[in-house]
């Protein structure tokens, strides 16, 4: 099994690229989906977040806007949020890799792969790059991402230059058809080697 990790800045289109792999029949691990499920269903994680950030629980769940507001006031607390969430996400990732171990290729859509030094989970890195106009239109569609919170998220990530130093392949995210063609070419190169 070849484990492909997708790298890119916030709004570069990592999930868009991962979904193209999904459309082509490959297993995808989405850390964002796993985190959303934690907020929805994991009472232990929600209690830890509630206690650390001094937030109320609503029917056992965190109000994500209140959490974002708290992080805006003190961005350094992101480290502690990651310490609460990441161990559970890593367990889910290990289960995913076990479940799909007979597959030829799987894709890991994990926003902080490099930052969290998750190199042992990845065989090949793909960096997704996008133009500034595409980036801005994508970011505007995200209702929960104001400029201040976007800047905080960016500061959690290493620069694109550092990510590029890990990249085995680069995808230029301009249009769905062009990205699909690039993905197919990369798959051919990976699976034929």
């Amino acid at each position: 099994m070849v484990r492909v990790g997708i790298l890119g800045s916030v709004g570069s289109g990592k999930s868009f690229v991962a979904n193209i792999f999904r459309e082509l029949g490959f297993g995808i691990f989405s850390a964002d989906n796993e985190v959303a499920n934690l907020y929805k269903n994991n009472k232990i994680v929600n209690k830890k977040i509630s206690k650390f950030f001094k937030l109320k629980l609503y029917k056992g769940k965190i109000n994500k806007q209140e959490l974002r507001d708290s992080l805006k006031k003190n961005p350094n607390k992101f480290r502690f949020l990651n310490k609460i969430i990441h161990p559970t996400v890593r367990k889910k990732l290990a289960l995913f890799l076990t479940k799909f171990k007979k597959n030829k290729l799987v894709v890991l859509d994990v926003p902080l792969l490099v930052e969290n030094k998750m190199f042992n989970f990845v065989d090949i890195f793909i960096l997704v790059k996008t133009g500034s106009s595409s980036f801005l239109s994508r970011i505007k569609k995200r209702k929960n991402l104001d400029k201040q919170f976007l800047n905080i998220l960016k500061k959690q990530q290493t620069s694109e230059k550092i990510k590029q130093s890990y990249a085995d392949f680069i995808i230029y995210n301009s249009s769905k058809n062009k990205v699909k063609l690039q993905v197919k070419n990369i798959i051919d190169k990976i699976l034929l080697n």
Side-chain angles (χ1 to χ4, degrees):
M1 172 178 52
V2 179
R3 300 164 301 176
V4 175
I6 300 185
L7 304 174
S9 303
V10 177
S12 61
K14 295 183 298 296
S15 296
F16 171 67
V17 169
N19 283 329
I20 291 173
F21 275 95
R22 181 181 278 117
E23 286 171 16
L24 295 170
F26 296 98
I28 307 296
F29 178 84
S30 168
D32 285 347
N33 288 350
E34 292 299 335
V35 171
N37 285 335
L38 287 180
Y39 286 130
K40 254 188 230 171
N41 304 313
N42 193 312
K43 288 179 180 166
I44 294 166
V45 166
N46 280 303
K47 274 185 186 174
K48 285 180 184 176
I49 295 170
S50 163
K51 189 175 179 181
F52 181 81
F53 287 92
K54 296 177 176 54
L55 298 173
K56 281 184 185 175
L57 286 172
Y58 302 90
K59 296 182 180 175
K61 296 175 189 172
I62 290 291
N63 178 310
K64 285 195 266 184
Q65 186 56 54
E66 288 178 10
L67 178 58
R68 278 190 288 275
D69 291 342
S70 178
L71 288 165
K72 281 187 212 176
K73 288 176 193 165
N74 193 345
N76 293 331
K77 288 188 174 181
F78 247 109
R79 276 184 314 142
F80 301 102
L81 179 62
N82 289 339
K83 282 183 181 177
I84 294 167
I85 289 174
H86 282 222
T88 307
V89 173
R90 279 180 189 244
K91 282 179 192 166
K92 296 278 186 182
L93 175 53
L95 287 171
F96 167 86
L97 291 173
T98 301
K99 181 181 175 184
F100 287 90
K101 69 182 174 195
K102 291 184 179 173
N103 287 37
K104 286 182 181 177
L105 184 150
V106 293
V107 175
L108 311 181
D109 180 11
V110 180
L112 299 173
L113 271 173
V114 170
E115 294 80 355
N116 288 317
K117 297 176 175 47
M118 295 174 74
F119 306 108
N120 58 326
F121 287 105
V122 179
D123 301 308
I124 290 172
F125 285 104
I126 296 173
L127 175 67
V128 181
K129 294 179 96 167
T130 192
S132 56
S133 60
S134 301
F135 166 77
L136 289 170
S137 67
R138 246 180 248 117
I139 289 301
K140 283 178 185 173
K141 289 176 187 171
R142 295 191 185 181
K143 294 175 186 131
N144 60 355
L145 209 55
D146 60 57
K147 200 171 183 178
Q148 184 188 355
F149 198 66
L150 174 63
N151 288 332
I152 291 168
L153 286 178
K154 280 183 172 180
K155 285 178 182 168
Q156 305 304 308
Q157 298 188 335
T158 59
S159 70
E160 192 172 85
K161 191 176 179 181
I162 291 171
K163 287 178 182 172
Q164 191 162 329
S165 71
Y166 290 100
D168 299 288
F169 299 97
I170 296 174
I171 288 178
Y172 296 94
N173 185 2
S174 53
S175 73
K176 184 165 185 172
N177 288 339
K178 285 180 182 174
V179 172
K180 202 165 193 173
L181 189 62
Q182 292 174 79
V183 168
K184 284 179 176 177
N185 288 336
I186 289 169
I187 291 167
D188 286 346
K189 284 176 183 170
I190 293 170
L191 296 183
L192 293 176
N193 283 338

